Amino acid sequence: VVLAVRGVIQGVGFRPFVAREARRRSLCGSVRNARGSVEIEVQGASDTIDDFVTALRTAPPPLEIHRIEAREVGEQAEHGFRIAPSTTGEPVEPSLPADLAPCVECAREVHDAEDRRYRYPFTTCVRCGPRYTIVEALPYDRERTSMRHFAPCELCRAEYGDASDRRCHAEAIACPTCGPVLEFLDARGITLARADAALSAAAATLREGRILALKGLGGFQLLVRAADTTGVAELRLRKRRAEKPFAIMFPGIEALERVASPSEAEAALLLSPEAPIVLVARREAAAALGAAVAPANPRLGAMLPSTPLHALLLAELGEPVVCTSGNMSSEPLCTDLAEALERLAGLADRFLTHDRPIVRPMDDSVARVSCAGVELLRRARGYAPKPVARVGDDRVILALGAQQKSTVSLVQRGRLLLTQHLGDLGHPAALCLLERTVEDLLVFFAATPELVACDKNPDYASTRLAERLAERFAVPLVRVQHHAAHVAAACAEHALAGPVLGLAWDGTGLGDDGTIWGSESLVLDGALVTRAAHLAPIPLLGGDRAAREPWRSALGALWLLGEEVFERRAGAWLSASDLRVVRRALERGLNVVPCTSIGRLFDAVAALLGIRDRCGFEGQAAMELEYLAETSQEDGAYALPLSESDPRVADTASLLRSVLEDLDRGSARALIARRFHGALAAHACDVAQAVGLERVVLSGGCFQNGLLARSVRGRLEDLGFRLHTAQGVPCNDGGISVGQALMASRCEVPGTRHGSEAMRAD
Ligand SMILES: [Zn+2]
Ligand SMILES: [Zn+2]
């Protein structure tokens, strides 16, 4: 019998597992990596083979079996069971293992003075270590990874060939004799120390308060002692990142628990092989640490060492470090030393690097645990490029995503793969990375797109690239409305085929009518999208600049309440002469776009409450409004009446009027913030009851607001609705490409092989 096994099985010890299970049952045959599958040829009694197949189906994690296909072949003379060389050729189902943090055994070995891998930072086995960041092509074998530059020594070779060894067929196998070597350099690129001495020198440099650039798994990171407020302030200055929270890496979970109180689920996530940055509640005692690292934020982005290199460095240092990407804000990571020395000049004092090439950049993932489970806010290391969904379509679909938090989705053979977070396309370097990532995907998985999907916004760099790709491959381009894509992303993840109500609440997205949307209640039914409800728009001044300048949203909100209110309050932000100019602009609609976005409404309320009128980073005002609302002892909700029209429109002016009345009355700002959140949760209920569909999907960047997500979900569930949220796919624009791919698959596009209305049941 020949078995073709598909799943996340290459590079995670599947072939040795198969060999062990076969030999245990005295079956003869072979196992080999093919492109996109693992092929097993096996001979023996049929019930023994059935038993063997059952064992394969229940393979332990990190193995993930998606499908096993069997076909009969004639008997061949085989003695014993062997791991055969890989084959290459046929098109593949896109699945590949992600990079995984050190397993327990590897973590133990590097701290064991008796072990031959003692203090060796590139220790891995079949269960852990680099994967996607070192793979150059499929199938996953050493000669097609960046480890091909290192010839294994005799001892490593023996372990690789020993079926009873944890490193049997560990493609990234290495040791101090044969593997990659550390190097410690000054800012001019002059080597100061090598190998183990480099590790100690790097720890010493951190102890002295310097900023270290570290070549991590997927790119250079900047490290500084977290407790060193001067050092952290210096890093902020150099990175030009005044207030945005930094993630902290702790040497171990005990060190983390001294300053934060992770729940059981959060601790499990921190300790998982994916080892993302997890948002955890900060302890009171950690106020000093938090003030510099995450100002005005009750949470910390915490992580544990994600590679043996990080583990060794932090163990030697014995305290937490700020660990942030080695770049200016939201540019892609530097991956090689020459680039890092140039781009990080002036940012880092010293460099700790090594000679294992990084094939593709990979940021740290960011996750949180909510009542729904684990939710990824940035999907990268540990998760990418694992498939996130199945799509009932055997066409090859390429979706290019949005402008911010760029990602790419590829559908091939019915499986949807989502790339890692690529950054904001406003940076030329991020656009280059997007182009490179698309080429990489197409070559890697031997994919030729039959459909290309993008946003409806013609100004997105991703849209322009999609247009060029559609032309190059002479295939149709499907433009998917931003908020429909948000809802569809969650539908794809949860395999929701029938009609759903989707609440797509976010900062900005181009609507079908050319205005800015962002409070959309959409009904998705196959390819059909109906706008069921939205908030009444506010006139938004200055377009894109409004996201950084909440006072612009506040002025729009005041204008909505009439001239008298506007005149009385707008002076808070404008001089008398500027006020006249703005007034004229609003009257004539010059440089003013109607905007239904809930993100901008958060900005407006934050500015009206005097919390913040300028943002240092995206979403800062809204975050502060959320944290303030959380401190309110009292609950409540402002009225937000919903019209009977089609689509239904919620009376934003009424809500804003209540906010101002409370403000004038001298009500606590925390309570006002709370009642504002309450109004939106009640609005969700009004819409859901008016639409009457059982399934409700929450998506869009506003649901990164934990309080909002919790209250909307809680109230809808109390009313009997079934809730789904984006979880493995980010609810922010990082998930847009997934939704675009699904919507494209649902479209009947003339000139393609076929479309498919519904999703195939798994
Ligand atoms: Zn391991
Ligand atoms: Zn070796």
Side-chain angles (χ1 to χ4, degrees):
V1 180
V2 171
L3 304 167
V5 187
R6 295 182 193 282
V8 181
I9 46 180
Q10 289 195 10
V12 278
F14 184 62
R15 288 168 303 163
F17 169 76
V18 170
R20 266 195 309 278
E21 294 297 322
R23 287 173 192 143
R24 181 177 296 164
R25 292 171 179 80
S26 305
L27 293 167
C28 294
S30 64
V31 56
R32 75 175 74 204
N33 276 349
R35 286 178 58 96
S37 68
V38 170
E39 270 187 15
I40 304 168
E41 199 179 322
V42 64
Q43 295 170 15
S46 67
D47 50 343
T48 317
I49 291 178
D50 289 347
D51 181 52
F52 169 70
V53 171
T54 308
L56 297 188
R57 282 191 201 283
T58 54
L63 297 169
E64 242 178 71
I65 310 295
H66 296 150
R67 197 159 66 231
I68 300 181
E69 284 160 12
R71 67 172 197 276
E72 293 292 335
V73 291
E75 287 278 313
Q76 275 155 22
E78 287 271 10
H79 298 286
F81 197 92
R82 64 196 173 91
I83 296 176
S86 304
T87 57
T88 52
E90 77 198 276
V92 300
E93 178 176 291
S95 73
L96 237 186
D99 307 277
L100 300 175
C103 69
V104 177
E105 286 104 311
C106 286
R108 189 190 53 72
E109 284 174 355
V110 297
H111 292 298
D112 176 1
E114 301 298 306
D115 196 278
R116 75 186 191 92
R117 290 189 174 82
Y118 178 54
R119 284 175 64 87
Y120 184 58
F122 306 97
T123 300
T124 80
C125 72
V126 291
R127 286 195 282 275
C128 71
R131 297 288 187 274
Y132 193 45
T133 52
I134 60 166
V135 182
E136 292 165 341
L138 285 175
Y140 175 62
D141 289 309
R142 191 182 183 95
E143 68 259 32
R144 281 173 291 272
T145 71
S146 63
M147 283 300 291
R148 68 191 158 85
H149 306 290
F150 305 90
C153 68
E154 229 161 276
L155 282 174
C156 285
R157 220 182 282 276
E159 289 169 336
Y160 184 90
D162 178 357
S164 68
D165 197 284
R166 205 171 86 245
R167 297 200 167 87
C168 177
H169 277 264
E171 305 300 344
I173 192 169
C175 77
T177 314
C178 62
V181 179
L182 285 180
E183 204 175 344
F184 181 68
L185 309 107
D186 69 11
R188 292 164 303 166
I190 293 170
T191 304
L192 303 176
R194 278 174 56 81
D196 200 51
L199 189 64
S200 303
T205 217
L206 284 168
R207 225 174 275 125
E208 287 158 12
R210 293 208 180 91
I211 296 171
L212 176 73
L214 169 75
K215 184 175 173 182
L217 183 95
F220 277 84
Q221 299 166 315
L222 294 170
L223 273 57
V224 67
R225 283 174 57 231
D228 176 2
T229 42
T230 322
V232 175
E234 178 65 23
L235 178 59
R236 287 202 178 280
L237 199 68
R238 293 189 196 176
K239 256 194 96 147
R240 282 185 242 145
R241 174 159 156 164
E243 292 171 309
K244 193 173 178 187
F246 281 134
I248 304 187
M249 184 179 276
F250 291 84
I253 191 90
E254 304 77 21
L256 163 63
E257 281 170 341
R258 281 197 283 277
V259 296
S261 38
S263 68
E264 218 168 285
E266 286 163 346
L269 184 58
L270 283 157
L271 291 162
S272 71
E274 291 81 10
I277 295 170
V278 180
L279 302 181
V280 295
R282 192 163 88 191
R283 284 189 197 276
E284 287 291 331
L289 177 74
V293 168
N297 193 322
R299 284 181 263 287
L300 273 185
M303 67 174 142
L304 296 177
S306 49
T307 72
L309 173 56
H310 291 92
L312 288 165
L313 183 64
L314 267 85
E316 180 143 350
L317 186 66
E319 59 177 306
V321 293
V322 162
C323 183
T324 182
S325 48
N327 53 15
M328 301 302 255
S329 62
S330 70
E331 278 176 332
L333 295 172
C334 302
T335 50
D336 73 62
L337 180 64
E339 186 193 6
L341 284 170
E342 193 189 312
R343 276 176 57 196
L344 303 184
L347 266 75
D349 300 312
R350 296 282 185 273
F351 290 77
L352 182 60
T353 184
H354 56 78
D355 51 357
R356 184 181 74 203
I358 296 171
V359 173
R360 48 186 76 73
M362 184 71 68
D363 275 290
D364 292 314
S365 294
V366 182
R368 70 162 175 211
V369 179
S370 77
C371 53
V374 174
E375 295 176 348
L376 291 182
L377 304 177
R378 181 166 78 199
R379 192 174 187 280
R381 178 180 50 74
Y383 299 93
K386 283 199 285 185
V388 292
R390 292 179 144 232
V391 172
D393 195 323
D394 63 5
R395 290 173 299 183
V396 178
I397 303 171
L398 184 68
L400 276 283
Q403 175 78 359
Q404 293 191 320
K405 301 183 171 61
S406 170
T407 59
V408 180
S409 285
L410 173 71
V411 176
Q412 181 155 280
R413 294 192 155 214
R415 211 163 276 280
L416 193 155
L417 170 150
L418 172 61
T419 65
Q420 74 274 30
H421 166 86
L422 303 173
D424 291 347
L425 301 182
H427 290 279
L431 182 57
C432 279
L433 178 60
L434 174 68
E435 290 173 356
R436 247 168 51 214
T437 301
V438 167
E439 297 306 320
D440 178 36
L441 276 180
L442 297 182
V443 171
F444 205 85
F445 296 110
T448 310
E450 293 170 74
L451 269 183
V452 178
C454 66
D455 199 275
K456 272 196 173 166
N457 192 327
D459 297 329
Y460 284 180
S462 54
T463 302
R464 292 196 293 268
L465 177 60
E467 287 163 351
R468 293 203 297 277
L469 287 164
E471 202 177 298
R472 175 174 133 201
F473 291 100
V475 296
L477 179 65
V478 182
R479 296 174 197 267
V480 181
Q481 198 276 324
H482 192 85
H483 301 93
H486 267 312
V487 177
C491 291
E493 180 178 353
H494 298 289
L496 305 176
V500 299
L501 168 65
L503 305 183
W505 293 0
D506 72 352
T508 299
L510 183 64
D512 284 337
D513 58 4
T515 70
I516 298 174
W517 289 6
S519 58
E520 308 317 302
S521 298
L522 304 175
V523 173
L524 256 68
D525 191 0
L528 198 68
V529 183
T530 317
R531 193 183 189 200
H534 59 88
L535 298 191
I538 59 170
L540 195 63
L541 286 154
D544 290 345
R545 288 171 68 187
R548 286 288 174 121
E549 299 175 5
W551 63 268
R552 291 174 180 274
S553 299
L555 286 186
L558 292 173
W559 187 254
L560 194 65
L561 300 183
E563 273 182 51
E564 191 258 335
V565 179
F566 182 82
E567 285 297 322
R568 189 151 42 89
R569 298 193 184 252
W573 297 285
L574 295 173
S575 67
S577 60
D578 285 346
L579 199 60
R580 273 196 300 279
V581 176
V582 166
R583 232 194 112 111
R584 211 170 308 130
L586 284 164
E587 275 166 357
R588 297 182 187 168
L590 292 170
N591 197 18
V592 171
V593 190
C595 168
T596 67
S597 153
I598 287 188
R600 292 298 84 79
L601 190 60
F602 263 91
D603 286 349
V605 173
L608 290 171
L609 293 192
I611 294 170
R612 172 168 297 281
D613 43 34
R614 275 166 213 280
C615 291
F617 58 92
E618 186 207 351
Q620 187 180 17
M623 275 169 67
E624 288 174 356
L625 195 64
E626 172 194 356
Y627 301 147
L628 185 64
E630 276 178 342
T631 64
S632 171
Q633 303 300 316
E634 254 181 279
D635 213 346
Y638 294 122
L640 181 49
L642 192 61
S643 77
E644 294 289 325
S645 55
D646 182 18
R648 290 168 191 270
V649 181
D651 187 356
T652 315
S654 154
L655 168 66
L656 288 165
R657 218 170 280 123
S658 310
V659 169
L660 293 181
E661 277 165 18
D662 254 2
L663 199 58
D664 289 344
R665 206 178 288 135
S667 304
R669 292 185 315 157
L671 180 59
I672 300 177
R674 186 62 168 247
R675 287 176 171 158
F676 171 68
H677 280 77
L680 294 174
H683 169 68
C685 296
D686 293 346
V687 173
Q689 285 177 313
V691 170
L693 286 169
E694 191 196 9
R695 288 184 186 278
V696 182
V697 163
L698 308 182
S699 194
C702 289
F703 289 107
Q704 293 176 112
N705 176 328
L707 175 63
L708 187 67
R710 257 193 328 276
S711 36
V712 170
R713 169 180 278 270
R715 298 198 49 175
L716 285 172
E717 281 179 343
D718 286 348
L719 293 172
F721 293 99
R722 292 178 64 187
L723 270 289
H724 299 274
T725 47
Q727 287 180 253
V729 173
C731 69
N732 55 45
D733 282 6
I736 286 288
S737 67
V738 173
Q740 289 171 348
L742 178 65
M743 291 310 285
S745 81
R746 288 178 174 185
C747 283
E748 291 288 350
V749 183
T752 65
R753 282 196 284 141
H754 71 273
S756 127
E757 292 262 321
M759 302 192 25
R760 190 164 65 201
D762 201 347

